[in-house]
Amino acid sequence: MEETRTTFEIPVGPVHPALKENIRFTFRVEGERILGVDVKPGFVHRGIEYMGMRRNLIQVLYLSERICGICSISHPIVLVQAVEQAAGIEVPPRAQYIRVIVSELERLHSHLLWAGVAAHELGFDTLLHLSWKVREAVMDILEELTGNRVDYAIPIYGGVRRDISPEQMPKVSEMIRYYRGLFEELSDTFLRDPSVEARTRNVGVLEPEEAHELLAVGPTARASGLRKDVRQDWPYLVYGDMDVRALTPEDHGLEVRGDVFDKIVVRLLEVAQSLDLIERCMEEMPDGEITSFPKLPALLAHLKKAEGEGIGRHEAPRGEVIHYVRLEAGQEGPSVWKVKAPTYSNLMPWVPMFEDQEIADIPIIAASIDPCMCCMDRVHVVRSGRPEEWTKQELLRRSWEKTRRLCG
Amino acid sequence: MILKVLMAQLFSRPVTNRFPAKYMPRSVTGFLAKVGQGKAKLVPPVPVPKGFRGKLAYDRETCIGCQLCIRVCPASVIMFKPETKKIRIHVARCTFCGQCVDVCPVDALAMTEEFLLAAYDRFDPSLIVE
């Protein structure tokens, strides 16, 4: 009998129970082994940038908050940084500290949320419920400080909208103590559990060279041993005074392997790091104004006169977020608004991560970069009612054209 | 470790709040009607913190009709009524950012602690503040 080796193609998505959001994978498999993958995004494009260019800047702030429901402070923080740079607005120190506190609280809740999702993808639902139960403490603090559990509406151009009162300080300290007490327990359940280790060790490996070449960001890059963190490399707000260091599994005394287990380690280490940062900010926070524009009509008038361009960058829980804004005098909204969410950089690392893995590991590998599709989808080509595909060359040509148009 | 937590959970109270009743009633509206008549007891929702951003409250008398709230509202929730120079707020679209409360020069707007806003019709009287 002649020996034949047949490969099959398995489509997963755009709508699939293993995925939280819409994206299409086409896996080439031989038996249970994945030979290669083709990733196709673009199903959840919402045209947010276009909507933003037709609103005034205060309205754009709340639109940017809704780019991502989980990073709902990262996007506004980047946008206000970009606009402040363009319009030359100073931010009082106290406001900068409050921005750092809220964004670290967000990292805390996002990483705990991810831990639950990862446990669920492993089929370990007990751990999912445990992590999400633990997460409620930080959600309550966010509600206490901002008035909402999600969509905090805290930053505004030139400062923040709500101060942290002396009565709220002990509640935050209590939350920090609660998590510090739980930390041993949590890392024990995740890192010393045989079933978690069996499902994640040497699964979805991303080599450091690949992570570097494919420009992975955030915990995905750090789990591969790259010390890459916007807070460390290009400090903004008050992160420069906080000596933030990018954490890799080496900081936990482990050898870097770049697998899903390492991604869990990095995220757990960052939970502890965020707790330290929040505590330090609370101690060092100076008194003073929280915004340089207490009257909003004055802010609107200032923004209408402003002219220039600005770039904001921030280390969101998933990696680096960049916003580019251009303002023109006499126009209330931005004339250009460009958003780059972290998942955009973490899509290509999926390709080497999936190679040579088993079909059963697809959900956890897909979830290991903490993907957020609708944050990332910035373009969808439709011509005469049908979707169209563009090649790399075509996209490059068009992006050059756009840059020339922007530069005038 | 996880086994210890699970065993302890068997004897402790659930973490979640059993709102509106300990066991899910067959009909929520029927149950609420019974609560109104005093025949059933409601398990209260978790109390909200101070400064919670809930349904908007509008003080018609103080409003001077400056329309600043309309200018900053990100979701076009607020409508201007030119004949009376007052506003109408469609809470169904509201994003609860509280920007209109911040911008109001005479403090005619405020955020209440009300958050149970579900209705079948988006033009339901309970969702329109004027």
Side-chain angles (χ1 to χ4, degrees), chain A residues 11-23 117 120-121 362-363 366:
Chain A
V12 174
V15 181
H16 193 276
L19 306 170
K20 297 280 168 289
E21 282 180 87
N22 306 35
I23 190 156
V117 170
H120 172 69
E121 302 290 10
I362 291 174

Side-chain angles (χ1 to χ4, degrees), chain A residues 1 16 19 22 36 51 54 63 102 109 128 163 166 185 220 228 233 235 287 296 313 321 328 335 345 361 385 388 399:
Chain A
M1 198 183 108
H16 193 276
L19 306 170
N22 306 35
M51 285 159 74
R54 266 136 203 87
L63 195 61
V102 182
H109 103 75
L128 155 77
D163 202 353
E185 207 174 291
T220 311
K228 193 173 170 185
D233 304 337
D287 288 331
L296 283 170
R313 50 204 303 180
V321 183
E328 269 167 32
S335 61
S345 309
D361 291 329
E388 211 177 77
S399 83

Side-chain angles (χ1 to χ4, degrees), chain B residues 51-74:
Chain B
F52 178 78
R53 286 187 270 130
K55 186 181 172 181
L56 281 168
Y58 173 52
D59 185 355
R60 220 179 119 79
E61 302 311 313
T62 348
C63 178
I64 51 168
C66 67
Q67 301 186 47
L68 271 174
C69 48
I70 299 178
R71 226 175 122 200
V72 297
C73 179

Side-chain angles (χ1 to χ4, degrees), chain A residues 180-216:
Chain A
R180 288 236 170 96
L182 263 174
F183 190 74
E184 264 313 298
E185 207 174 291
L186 262 184
S187 56
D188 185 69
T189 8
F190 274 100
L191 305 182
R192 278 188 284 278
D193 189 281
S195 49
V196 172
E197 192 173 343
R199 284 296 308 277
T200 56
R201 254 301 174 219
N202 298 323
V203 169
V205 177
L206 183 67
E207 298 291 342
E209 302 81 48
E210 290 166 339
H212 183 70
E213 274 169 22
L214 297 171
L215 302 174

